[in-house]
Structure formats: structure tokens, C-alpha cells
Amino acid sequence: MVARTTPHQDERRDATLAGGGPPPPGRRGLRSRLAGRIPFGLRRLSVPYLLIIPAIALELLIHVIPMLVGVGMSFLRLTQFFIRNWSAAPFVGLSNYQVAVDFDSAVGSSLLHSFTITVAFTALSVGLSWLFGTVGAVLMQGAFRGRGFLRTFFLVPYALPVYAGVITWSFMFQRDTGMVNHVLVDQLHLLGDRPFWLIGGNSFAAVVIVCVWRSWPFAFLILMAGLQNIDNDYYEASAIDGASWWRQFRSITLPMLRPVNQVLVLVLFLWTFNDFNTPYVLFGKAAPQQADLISVHIYQSSFITWNFGSGSAMSVLLLLFLLAVTVVYLVATSRRRSDA
Amino acid sequence: MRIRKIGYVAVAGALLAAAAACGGGDTGGTASGGGTTDSGAAKTLTYWASNQGTSLDNDKQVLQPELDKFEKQTGIKVNLEVVPWADLLNRILAATTSGKGPDVLNIGNTWSASLQATGAFLPFDDKLLTDLGGKDRFLGPSLAATGAAGKPPTAVPIYGMTYGLFYNKKMFKEAGIDKPPATWDELVADGKKLTHGKQWGLAVEGASVSENSHHAFIFGQQHGSDLFDASGKPQFDSPQQVAAIKQYLDLMAVDKIVNPSNAEYSNGTEAVNDFVNGKAAMLMWQSIASQLKAANLGDDYYGLAPIPLPAPGSGGKQVNGMVAGINLAVFNFTKNRDGALKFVKFMTSAEEQQILNKTYGSLPTVQDAYNDPAFQTPTIKAFQDILAKTAAPLPQVPEESQFETLVGTAMNQLWADAASGKPITDESVKAKLTQANQQVQPGS
């Protein structure tokens, strides 16, 4: 896609250089004077860089510098005694990291527990979101009455503000007054006793359900767009050859969606693993142990115990883990594709 | 193909960076608050008030006329922001870190020592206290909850509170009980009589970290527990503390006078609602005047008694309340120190103390405010008596906030166990508390 758009960009850039039509006489004079001073080759070379400077500056300011500050904090004992003057916080080297990965200690073992929960949560949520998204997109592929409405309807969870959606779920999951138990127990009589959803073992299921509800429309949207790009000729040709629906799905749809899926699964993984809003709004500051997701866990370990160095160290470990997974994933999926 | 691959990698990299930066932001977030200190503007102050009324808007309506009065008296305009409890501590920490925030603010009094350790607040030394009418003008217990012992207070108390046992008079009458329980055995026996059908003996906020930790402290005192030893080391898992927390959990697990659903009550209003709406007959809580007023319930509906004390000679302390309340602090970085101190003086004046505490159902923190008949009601007198005689302040040590978080969270999980019918034993309670204890990270 990038390869195809590049010529357009070049054209646009040339147009910019040329001033987009006949330039006013005054400007022309300035331009030719400047052109006289700066060699043509240098000018040609520097323009793209000039154009991306604002983006790079913002990227540095918004992403890179805060990240580096976070990394720096992880080497300090940054407690309430020092937050007013960070420079006075004692340098403790790797000791914050040692505490975090010492799985025999209470801090380390609870971090490991939270990590394991998060891996399971992410695998389930991403898997289910992808599955629902794919099924939804494939079913919406053929034209039928009401398709436009259904497509819009499916996107509602994605369009709702996170807080509004998740707080509604937390009301629905309440034991005595929630709708979930009302339907399961009072109306369908599936369960004898009212289960808890927001505490105890079911809280894991609750957070997975809410997360899938929130993220499957995104998978649906992306895959629907991907499906539009598959030429109908393939399906027609295969139909003439007698391919079944399932065969078409396996041999045409899935392989053609492969590049889309590659990015989709990665993005879903990163978003889900890092998701803070869903568990925080659903459970509040203290999540149940069975649904102790890592982003809230780190928040709890640093913000509420006022130990920002330790929290930063955990964040850096999380970042390294996500980076490693991303690199391995990209290398593995790209290699397989070039083999094929 | 090659270019396309690079494109994907770039997109993925950018997303990853975004995700990681968000993660870092959660832990080190220093987003500056809404309030700013106007440079050179000696005529304005920014004030962060905590949420004391039924809503943030309600607080604004209560406070604004008083701030207007202050402006009339001094010519200083006060910009008010009411900060919800869920955000207040984070906002204070962000302001402390960035040096940008309000001039004057409310803090929960249990945070006093923890916040004092940051050094970001103006200490109220003897001279400043004399300007406010002297140390003796303030209620002793409330003034004790303003920072570490031996150091000048880091804030001054403005609203006093403590815990008491609210009971529903009608339900007690129906159950044939003629007076509120005075001992724990009586409370359990009464609770059993009061539990039937959809009605429960007692309501608790089982998933609220702060309520849980407050009760852990009060009952711990009754069992003779000290949360920190003489050298300041935490000992949350002492046998006394284990017994105290088990006694509290047993109200649900063994005595069955608490609705198991209370284990998921977390936002600080649900147990109160159960009491106000007649779903529970008793509630151990601080002032609920605003909620009762909103529901139009008066003295004929409810009564207030002290939470039962331990049997004399049991070795526990005669404590049945914690010194709760709100303190008023001044940020060191204020550019309008004089104005800020004038505002503190205004807020601690007898007149303002009467007006505000009357509205919020809390207790004035200065002696000379009590001549108002509004503070002679049975409820206020009962609270006043508890605060003066049998309330103890939470330990004023920098690690106090960690106690609230860690022990409160551990108790959330224990309530969840109790609600799902898992046995609550000394061992299971101790295991959780030991884990909490090990997670305390010493500040100094």
C-alpha cells in the first residue's frame, strides 16, 4: 500500500516545491535568490527532512522523552520523600528490578501472578475478538437487506466512550441488582444460587467478556475493510471449479486477509495486554486477585504505595516484554510469508 | 512487497510506543491539575475542596456563598474546584511533583503524615497556630491527626468525624429490641434477630479499601494490636490484628448477619444506601447526614450509638472509632502565602465552622463553635462524645497510606472468600496479612 502511494506523495511534494501554479512575482525573486545560495542537491535533500521535523519533535515530546524519563525513574528510589525534588532521590541501580523479579518475595510473586493472569486474559480476549470479528465480517460480506444497519450496530461498542460502556457492565454484573443474574437466575433458572461476577473466580470471565465486547468491533471493522479488497473474480473462479463455502474461506479469504490479520492480531495483543481502563472501571482500584491485570497491578504498586521507582521498573519490564513479543512475532510472520 | 513490510513494522512500532508511553504515564503521570497559581495575583487563591456533600455540585453550592463572603471581607477571590475522592490523592501527588496546583486544599486527615513527608506543605508552627487562636482552641483528637508526633502540624482540621453505629429504630422495635447493642455479643444476637427475608442485620462496604482499612484499625485497637512497632516497622499480621479482622469477617462468614452481596460494595455509597433504604438494620459509618436528609429521614427513623467496646479486661484498648476528618493544608509553593493563611483563618473561624459542619453533618474542630444548638442533637452529641473519649488516630507515619491500600485490598479478597462460602480461618487471614506486610516498601 505504501509502495503505491509513494508516487502520489512525490507528485505532491513536487507541486509544493513548484509553489502549486504560477508563483507571485515577489516570491519568485526570493526563491531564486535562495536557490542561488543553497546548492540544488542539498536543497532537494533537506526538504523532506524539514517536512518531518514537526512530526519528529512531537514524537519525541509525547512518546520518547516520557518513556526515557520513565526508564530513568526506575533506577531511583522515588518515594513520597523525593517526589517534590526528583534530583534528590537516591540512585539505587537495579534494585527496583531485583525486587520486581524476585519471585520468592511477596512483591515479585504477586507481579508474576498478575503477569500470568494477563497472558491468559490477553490470549482469550484476542482470540475471541478475532474470531467474532472474522465471523461477523464474513457474514456481512454478501449484500442483504439491513446490512448497513447491522454493520453500524456492531460498531456501537467501539464508538461508545470506554467509561460509559464499562460502568454499565459493572452495574449489569452486580450480584443482587444486576441484569446478568436477573436473566440467568430469575428468568432462565439456569443457576440456583446468584453468582458473584465482580469478585472471586468469575471476575476473570467478567473482564474477558467486557474486553471482547469492546474490542471485537475493531477486528470486525478492519477485517471488513480487508474483505473489500479481495477481488470477486477469485470467488467466481473457485465456484466454477466447485469449491465449497468453507474451501473458499480457507483457500481464498484467509490467505488474502493474511497481511491484515498480521497487523490486526498484533495491535489487539498490544492494546489488550496494556488495557487499563476496562479493569479499572470494572473493579476500581483494587481488582480481585483472579482478575489482577498487570496495568492496574503496576498502578496499584506505584501510585497507591507511592513508590514510583518500583512502578517504573515494572513498567519497563512490561515494555521490554511487549517489545520482545512484537519483534519475534513480526520476524516469525514475515519469514513465513516470504517462504510462501 | 519490501516497502509494504517496512510500513507495517513502522506502524506497529508507533503503536507499541504509544502503548508503552501510556503505560508509563499511568505510573509517573504528572499531568498538572486544573488549578494554577496565578503569578503576582495576590488577589486570588485556588482552593481544592474534597467532596463532602451529596455531589460535587452540592459542594459548590454549599461553599460558594462562604467564598463570596471571604472575598467581601478580604478582597481575595477564591477559585473553587471540588475534587472527587477517587482523584484527590493523585491530584495532590501530581501537584506536589510539578509544583503547580492550588494554594489551599483539603486532605483526608489519615494522609497527613504521608503528605508531610513530601515537604510540600506549609508547617503550622506555634506562631501560625497562635494566629488561628492557639493550639488549645482545636479539638485534641483532631489536631493529633495532622502529622507525625513532635512535628508542627502539616495541616489544620476543619471537619471532624468518627465512626458510630447507626441503627434503624423501627426495625429494632419490630424485632423486640429496646436498645442498641452495647457489646459484641449483643450486636451479633441483635443482628440475628434482625436478619430475615430480604432484610439483613448489618451492612458493610466489603470491597472498599478505605472502609476496610478503617475497620481493620478500629477493631485492631480493640484487640490490642499496633500496626507499626516502636521502630516504625509494619506488623500487620500480628495475632491481635488477625483476630480483629477475623471477628469483622465472621459477621458475614459465621454469624450470617451481613448480606454476602456486600462483599462487592466498593464505591462508598452502597452500604449507606442499604441502611437508608431499609435493607439493613445497622451500619458502622461516619456521618451520613446528607444521605439521610436527601431521603427525608429524621431522628425518628434512625439512632446513633457507639460501636461496641471490647469487654473490659480483655486486654484491648477502649477504642471504638478512628479520628476521621478533613484537614486544610497550604502548599509551600503558593505565591499568596498571606492570602492563603487568611483563608485558613476564615475557614477555622467559629462562624464558618458552624455553617459548614452543620451542613455536612460533621463536627466542628474548634471548641468555640459548639455553642450553636445545631450541635446539641443526639447524633452530633453521640459523635462528639466518641471523638472526644474513645477515638484513636490512625498511626501518623509516612507508610500509613500503604497500610490502607495493602490491608484494605487484602480484606477485599477475604470478604470475597467469605461471601463465596470459603472458610475464614486464622491461617487464611494471617496469610493474606503477611503478604500485605511484606509488600510495604519503607519510605525512608
Side-chain angles (χ1 to χ4, degrees), chain B residues 76-101:
Chain B
I76 300 172
K77 181 170 165 40
V78 180
N79 297 315
L80 169 71
E81 187 183 352
V82 184
V83 184
W85 279 109
D87 298 339
L88 187 57
L89 189 55
N90 290 357
R91 295 276 300 271
I92 295 175
L93 290 178
T96 307
T97 312
S98 62
K100 284 194 169 36

Side-chain angles (χ1 to χ4, degrees), chain A residues 303-317:
Chain A
F303 226 101
I304 305 190
T305 55
W306 302 23
N307 194 326
F308 302 97
S310 162
S312 297
M314 292 180 189
S315 294
V316 171
L317 289 174

Side-chain angles (χ1 to χ4, degrees), chain A residues 1-4 59 62-63 67 73 77 79-84 86 99 105-107 109-110 173-177 196-200 259-260 262-263 266-267 270-271 274 276 280 285-290 295 298-300 302-308 310-312 315 319 322-323 326 330 334 337-338, chain B residues 1 3-5 7-9 11-12 14-21 23-24 26-30 85-87 89-90 93 96-97 111 114-115 117-120 207 209 259-261 263-266 270 279 332 398-399 401-402 405-406 409 412-413 415-416 419-420 422 432 435 438-439 441-444:
Chain A
M1 212 197 287
V2 176
R4 241 180 292 139
E59 181 65 23
I62 295 170
H63 286 148
M67 259 165 70
M73 274 162 66
R77 189 192 286 141
T79 59
Q80 74 245 47
F81 294 93
F82 306 108
I83 54 170
R84 201 160 61 98
W86 289 20
V99 172
S105 77
V107 175
S109 68
S110 63
F173 276 131
Q174 281 175 1
R175 181 178 184 242
D176 280 355
T177 49
F196 282 103
W197 293 98
L198 296 174
I199 55 174
V260 176
Q262 188 195 4
V263 175
L266 181 63
V267 167
L270 291 174
W271 283 353
N274 259 331
F276 180 80
Y280 188 77
K285 278 178 182 158
Q289 229 180 351
Q290 295 87 345
S295 52
I298 292 178
Y299 168 82
Q300 177 90 343
S302 58
F303 226 101
I304 305 190
T305 55
W306 302 23
N307 194 326
F308 302 97
S310 162
S312 297
S315 294
L319 169 70
L322 292 179
L323 262 179
T326 307
L330 285 175
S334 307
R337 199 170 51 180
S338 20
Chain B
M1 210 52 166
I3 296 178
R4 190 194 265 192
K5 197 194 295 174
Y8 284 134
V9 175
V11 169
L15 285 167
L16 181 60
D26 294 335
T27 59
T30 55
W85 279 109
D87 298 339
L89 189 55
N90 290 357
L93 290 178
T96 307
T97 312
W111 306 338
S114 296
L115 288 175
T118 66
V209 170
N259 182 353
S261 293
E264 66 179 22
Y265 285 5
S266 63
E270 290 156 281
K279 288 185 189 165
N332 254 337
E399 289 84 9
S401 59
Q402 297 191 38
T405 307
L406 292 166
T409 305
N412 283 10
Q413 293 159 9
W415 278 119
S420 57
K422 277 190 204 153
K432 286 267 188 258
Q435 212 187 6
Q438 286 168 354
Q439 289 186 56
Q441 311 210 4
S444 44

Side-chain angles (χ1 to χ4, degrees), chain A residues 222-242:
Chain A
I222 298 294
L223 288 166
M224 202 166 62
L227 285 177
Q228 312 289 312
N229 280 341
I230 302 178
D231 205 321
N232 215 24
D233 294 352
Y234 292 113
Y235 293 105
E236 281 171 14
S238 64
I240 291 168
D241 288 343

